[in-house]
């Protein structure tokens, strides 16, 4: 129904920057929330940043001051600008969205396939 496709991951040195992008497509009436999560090897998936329509972005403590989430509602896109990257930011980053697929349907949650971010020391 709804596809989320991430891009922009890669290998970067500590202190560097990356910009992740996520494009939502498919049966979209409106998108209530777009977010980024990440999962490092051997760890649980954790929230990185959330941007709910009508609200201010929310960040995990680990990314405050370094990460910026933004949305382009016209394009159904969400971005994560990451700066001052640290080796502990190494993880697979997943795009997440709460989407209404029609005017009278409840919100459904969708996930992207993930994009690898590796920060070398």
């Amino acid at each position: 129904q709804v596809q989320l496709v991430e891009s922009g991951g890669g290998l970067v040195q500590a202190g560097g920057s990356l910009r992740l992008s996520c494009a939502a497509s498919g049966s979209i009436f409106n998108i209530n929330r777009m977010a980024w999560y990440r999962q490092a090897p051997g760890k649980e998936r954790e929230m990185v940043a959330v941007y709910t329509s009508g609200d201010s972005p929310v960040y995990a403590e680990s990314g405050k001051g370094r990460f910026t989430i933004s949305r382009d509602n016209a394009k159904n896109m969400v971005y994560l600008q990451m700066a001052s990257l640290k080796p502990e930011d190494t993880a697979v980053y997943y795009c997440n969205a709460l989407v209404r697929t029609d005017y009278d349907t409840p919100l459904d949650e969708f996930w992207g396939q993930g994009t690898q971010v590796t920060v070398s020391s």
Side-chain angles (χ1 to χ4, degrees):
Q1 287 180 317
V2 175
Q3 296 79 41
L4 302 178
V5 179
E6 303 100 334
S7 61
L11 174 64
V12 63
Q13 288 189 332
S17 299
L18 277 177
R19 187 191 193 215
L20 305 182
S21 300
C22 172
S25 63
S27 301
I28 298 172
F29 179 74
N30 74 352
I31 301 178
N32 173 264
R33 186 190 81 175
M34 299 193 84
W36 289 97
Y37 285 72
R38 68 186 184 186
Q39 187 167 19
K43 295 188 176 181
E44 293 189 353
R45 191 173 297 189
E46 62 178 4
M47 184 274 286
V48 175
V50 176
Y51 201 154
T52 302
S53 296
D55 289 343
S56 298
V58 175
Y59 297 93
E61 282 297 324
S62 58
K64 282 184 179 178
R66 301 188 299 125
F67 295 174
T68 302
I69 187 172
S70 59
R71 287 176 62 174
D72 185 334
N73 293 326
K75 297 180 179 179
N76 290 331
M77 302 261 321
V78 65
Y79 307 95
L80 184 69
Q81 180 68 49
M82 303 185 291
S84 302
L85 283 162
K86 306 174 183 179
E88 50 263 44
D89 294 318
T90 295
V92 177
Y93 284 70
Y94 295 92
C95 179
N96 170 274
L98 289 180
V99 179
R100 201 177 303 277
T101 57
D102 205 345
Y103 73 97
D104 61 349
T105 58
L107 291 169
D108 279 332
E109 185 175 35
F110 297 92
W111 291 90
Q113 296 280 68
T115 185
Q116 176 71 46
V117 171
T118 302
V119 184
S120 63
S121 57

